[in-house]
Amino acid sequence: MQPYSLESTWNIVAILLAFAVIQATFQISVSVLTLLSGHSLGKKRSSRRLLGLDLAYIVGNFSMLMLVFGAILYAVFTAVNDISSHDWWLLVVAPVVVALVILSRYYRKGRGTALWLPRSAAAYLTDRAKRTRNVFESLMLGAASALLELPFTIVPMTASAYLMILFVRPIDHLMVASIYCFIVVTPLILTTILIAGGHRLS
């Protein structure tokens, strides 16, 4: 596979940033975090313990995102044999397609706002958030929420992996993937900061 280059590295940065921001707007992980925090506050747990649970949740979510991204990156690298530099423009169209899919499928139709999750999966997350009592359980809950959102997140992550193989040096893949996943979990970090600062969950 021959290396290719874009007219400007800012094109690569802009496209990767667009995918990361789109993925960051997905709401399953944030919803589960607020459920976890709400149940902890309802049980009058100390703010220090609540912060520990929330941080463990974020670490679990980030770690699972990194594992999934790494697996996708490896799969794309081994599957793609003939990549054309003229095909990169498809990555600009992909965010628009993802956005349209989200608008049409991400939320259930009906009264109120409900995510696309099957009822069994939603019940599992709600129950686990209610029963989470220690850091390990919170870590696993964060990882589970990242996995359950995979039917949607796999699209921007696969496109990002394709872009990285085309234009990013292999030695920089870990750094770029880490930055990407950090942007994705930014809403979780901000939510935790607000809760720790005494703001209401609403």
Side-chain angles (χ1 to χ4, degrees), residues 1-74:
M1 182 174 61
Q2 298 296 322
Y4 299 103
S5 61
L6 288 174
E7 295 180 359
S8 170
T9 55
W10 287 110
N11 292 330
I12 307 170
V13 173
I15 297 171
L16 282 173
L17 181 62
F19 282 122
V21 170
I22 287 173
Q23 189 169 338
T25 62
F26 295 169
Q27 296 184 18
I28 289 179
S29 295
V30 175
S31 297
V32 177
L33 178 64
T34 55
L35 281 173
L36 173 64
S37 300
H39 288 304
S40 297
L41 289 171
K43 294 178 180 178
K44 300 185 184 301
R45 289 173 177 159
S46 68
S47 57
R48 183 176 179 180
R49 186 176 181 187
L50 173 59
L51 181 61
L53 291 176
D54 286 354
L55 289 177
Y57 177 91
I58 294 171
V59 170
N61 194 272
F62 178 84
S63 299
M64 183 55 68
L65 286 172
M66 285 292 293
L67 286 173
V68 171
F69 202 179
I72 292 173
L73 188 63
Y74 178 77

Side-chain angles (χ1 to χ4, degrees), residues 1 3 31 62 71 81 84 91 104 111 128 142 144 148 153 160 163 165 170 179 181 190 196:
M1 182 174 61
S31 297
F62 178 84
N81 296 316
S84 171
L91 299 171
S104 62
R111 298 180 61 184
R128 289 312 311 160
L148 286 173
T153 59
S160 297
L163 180 65
I165 289 171
I179 295 172
C181 292
L190 294 177

Side-chain angles (χ1 to χ4, degrees), residues 97-164:
V97 175
V98 173
L100 292 174
V101 171
I102 293 171
L103 288 174
S104 62
R105 300 294 180 186
Y106 196 72
Y107 297 100
R108 289 181 180 272
K109 295 181 179 180
R111 298 180 61 184
T113 302
L115 299 180
W116 66 274
L117 278 174
R119 294 184 184 276
S120 58
Y124 169 78
L125 289 176
T126 301
D127 183 65
R128 289 312 311 160
K130 183 177 180 180
R131 295 174 181 273
T132 296
R133 296 181 177 84
N134 57 58
V135 170
F136 178 76
E137 291 176 345
S138 187
L139 194 79
M140 293 298 101
L141 183 62
S145 65
L147 276 179
L148 286 173
E149 208 154 37
L150 194 57
F152 286 93
T153 59
I154 195 172
V155 177
M157 293 182 89
T158 301
S160 297
Y162 178 73
L163 180 65
M164 287 170 60

